[in-house]
Amino acid sequence: MKISTSNQYTSANSVLIFIVSILLGYNIYQAICHPEKSDLFICIILVALTSVTVQKYGTKADQKKKI
């Protein structure tokens, strides 16, 4: 059985974006209401790493479709 890697990356990227979005929203809420409990800096780093990951693996799947 052949498994498409582009589908794996797509679903993994979607889950990763969903989790990071929840964490970012929660940390922004904490920064507004309870600044002492906020980990906004760590969350921004997580957003940057997610962006790099999605660009890296999303581009490979797009290039395979073009060929």
Side-chain angles (χ1 to χ4, degrees):
M1 178 187 292
K2 189 174 181 180
I3 298 174
S4 175
T5 56
S6 64
N7 289 339
Q8 290 176 344
Y9 290 140
T10 302
S11 45
N13 287 341
S14 297
V15 170
L16 186 61
I17 289 170
F18 177 73
I19 292 171
V20 170
S21 298
I22 289 173
L23 289 173
L24 182 62
Y26 178 74
N27 280 310
I28 289 173
Y29 165 76
Q30 288 293 342
I32 293 170
C33 295
H34 308 287
E36 67 277 358
K37 294 182 181 179
S38 176
D39 292 329
L40 200 56
F41 182 70
I42 294 172
C43 198
I44 290 172
I45 292 172
L46 184 61
V47 168
L49 290 174
T50 302
S51 174
V52 169
T53 303
V54 169
Q55 288 176 358
K56 180 179 177 183
Y57 291 110
T59 305
K60 285 185 179 179
D62 292 341
Q63 288 175 355
K64 288 181 182 178
K65 289 180 183 177
K66 290 180 183 177
I67 295 176

